[in-house]
Every structure is written in C-alpha cells, then in structure tokens.
C-alpha cells in the first residue's frame, strides 16, 4: 500500500548483449544475475557445441561464479539467435542442466519443438507454436529426470566442482554453507556393471540413489557398482 516499505526479497536478472560470466558493474547496482551469451556463443561456437570442452567449462564456471559471488543464466536456444539442433537436444540439455550457475530453458527445448520457416526474418522461426500435440517423449523424459535431479540438489548449480575422472567424465559438486550441506557425484558414459569411486564424496556404508534410474546403491570400500541406463 502507499507509504509501506517494500521488504520482499526478489531475484533480478539483466540481459546485456554479449555478456559472459566475468563480474561487471551491473552486479554492483542491484542485478543478481545476467544472461550468459557465451555458452551458446554469439557465432554458435560456444562450448555447448563442443563436448570435449565441458570439463574445463564446468570447472571454470564453478570457480569463477563462487569466487565472484555472482550468478548467470545460461541458455542453449534463444528467440534472438537460433534453436539448438533438434536432433541433439538430449546431449545439449544434459550439458546445460549440469552447468554451475543458473540455467534458462527456452520453451520447447524440453519437448523437441521444431524450427519453422520464417521468411526473411530467420529469428522468427525460433518462435514457433508450442508442440503440444507432437511432444518428443524421449527428450521430455530425459529432461524431467535431470531437471528434477538439479532441483533437488543445490550443489549442482551452486557448489564447488571437483573433477574425479576425465575419461569417463566423472565429477563431484559440493555445497556447504549456512548449515546446508549437499553433495552429488555425476558420472557420464557408464555401463551396467561400471564401478565408480565415490570415496571423496560419501562415507562407507552410505546409501545413494541414482537420480536417472532411481536404483539405490550402498557404498562399499569407497565405491558403488551401478546398473546404469
């Protein structure tokens, strides 16, 4: 009401064309995050198109954002640029949803919404109708599993990053602030029967759950043997 002091907290995001993850003056004047153009790349050459670059990107993002005490919103598709290749969305969404910092899901990436012909304005093709009647169930199911994992685990977006293995790529994220502790281990390219060393993240006897299959495993001799999807 008029005259009342506004006390509700809120999260303010800015869009400044071309900005990446380094801290700048916008954070000094009220912004909590800026949209990160560098993950897709202005010429679409960003690390989301280069899977081999992701280990270094994850480490850099986690270190930089935590040291700066800043945040970003990273995208892989945009109404102003282009849609991530529709036949690679499972890979693209995986790379994005496991990023440190905030992530911005452009509508239809989670369902395989197609690009449409747009005449002279190529960006208009990125703004097609939502594909309610032609949802790609494989993409949607994959997105739901990883996005729920992300939502449940603060460490994935806000924690410190520790690479445990490069090939196969395995990493640990840990958040431990203000009495909140959360730790996850993410392992790529696992097969049924693969053994993962989790001794740096979890204690002997801990019961863990695979967020993708929902199978449970107990830590024995610092390791778990998984029945991976």
């Amino acid at each position: 009401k008029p005259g009342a002091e506004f006390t509700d907290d809120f999260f303010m995001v800015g869009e400044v064309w071309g900005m990446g993850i380094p801290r700048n003056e916008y954070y000094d004047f009220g912004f909590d995050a800026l949209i990160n153009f560098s993950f897709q790349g202005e010429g679409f050459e960003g690390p989301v198109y280069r899977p081999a670059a992701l280990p270094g990107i994850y480490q850099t993002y986690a270190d930089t954002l935590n040291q700066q005490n800043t945040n970003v919103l990273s995208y892989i598709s945009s109404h102003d640029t282009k849609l991530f290749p529709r036949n690679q969305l499972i890979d693209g969404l995986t790379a994005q949803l496991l990023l440190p910092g905030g992530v911005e899901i452009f509508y239809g990436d989670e369902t395989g919404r197609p690009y449409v012909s747009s005449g002279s304005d190529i960006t208009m093709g990125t703004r097609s109708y939502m594909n309610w009647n032609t949802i790609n169930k494989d993409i949607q199911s994959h997105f739901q599993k990883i996005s729920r994992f992300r939502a449940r685990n603060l460490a994935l977006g806000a924690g410190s990053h520790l690479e445990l293995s490069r090939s196969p790529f395995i990493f640990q994220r840990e958040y431990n602030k203000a009495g909140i502790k959360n730790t996850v281990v993410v392992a790529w390219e696992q097969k049924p029967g693969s053994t993962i060393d989790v001794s740096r993240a979890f204690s002997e006897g801990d019961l863990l759950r695979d967020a993708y299959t929902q199978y449970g495993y107990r830590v024995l001799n610092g390791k778990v043997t998984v029945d991976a999807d």
Side-chain angles (χ1 to χ4, degrees):
K1 62 183 181 180
E5 182 181 358
F6 180 78
T7 58
D8 289 349
D9 197 10
F10 63 96
F11 190 80
M12 188 162 71
V13 179
E15 179 181 11
V16 184
W17 188 267
M19 289 295 177
I21 64 170
R23 183 181 177 87
N24 56 51
E25 65 274 16
Y26 288 90
Y27 292 101
D28 298 325
F29 291 91
F31 287 94
D32 297 289
L34 295 178
I35 293 176
N36 171 30
F37 287 76
S38 64
F39 191 57
Q40 186 190 58
E42 290 187 52
F44 319 119
E45 79 297 339
V48 69
Y49 295 102
R50 296 179 284 110
L54 290 177
I57 287 295
Y58 286 170
Q59 188 74 64
T60 297
Y61 276 40
D63 291 348
T64 302
L65 296 176
N66 279 299
Q67 290 167 6
Q68 295 177 163
N69 193 27
T70 57
N71 208 336
V72 294
L73 282 184
S74 301
Y75 64 89
I76 63 173
S77 295
S78 167
H79 68 289
D80 277 333
T81 57
K82 75 173 189 176
L83 302 181
F84 192 79
R86 304 289 90 178
N87 62 346
Q88 299 175 36
L89 273 171
I90 285 180
D91 291 337
L93 286 166
T94 301
Q96 181 187 22
L97 289 168
L98 297 179
L99 268 176
V103 295
E104 175 188 11
I105 307 300
F106 191 45
Y107 80 100
D109 275 4
E110 77 282 20
T111 60
R113 176 179 62 90
Y115 179 87
V116 297
S117 178
S118 57
S120 60
D121 186 348
I122 61 172
T123 62
M124 288 305 295
T126 66
R127 309 169 197 180
S128 59
Y129 289 117
M130 184 64 179
N131 58 322
W132 297 114
N133 297 321
T134 58
I135 289 174
N136 185 311
K137 298 296 186 180
D138 290 337
I139 295 173
Q140 183 186 46
S141 175
H142 181 78
F143 170 82
Q144 288 171 335
K145 290 174 183 177
I146 301 185
S147 61
R148 287 169 181 162
F149 170 61
R150 183 182 179 93
R152 289 194 303 268
N153 291 280
L154 181 61
L156 204 59
S160 60
H161 178 94
L162 175 65
E163 183 175 314
L164 303 176
S165 169
R166 177 60 59 95
S167 182
F169 184 34
I170 303 173
F171 64 82
Q172 171 184 331
R173 299 255 173 88
E174 182 174 6
Y175 184 90
N176 190 2
K177 295 179 183 178
I180 300 173
K181 186 172 183 179
N182 178 232
T183 304
V184 298
V185 169
V186 177
W188 295 41
E189 299 177 357
Q190 300 300 298
K191 300 176 181 179
S194 293
T195 298
I196 305 170
D197 187 336
V198 295
S199 58
R200 293 192 181 188
F202 304 111
S203 299
E204 188 71 10
D206 280 355
L207 184 63
L208 310 182
R209 184 172 299 279
D210 182 338
Y212 205 87
T213 64
Q214 295 301 302
Y215 297 153
Y217 304 103
R218 191 173 298 279
V219 180
L220 297 175
N221 299 317
K223 300 175 181 179
V224 290
T225 300
V226 299
D227 185 15
D229 184 290

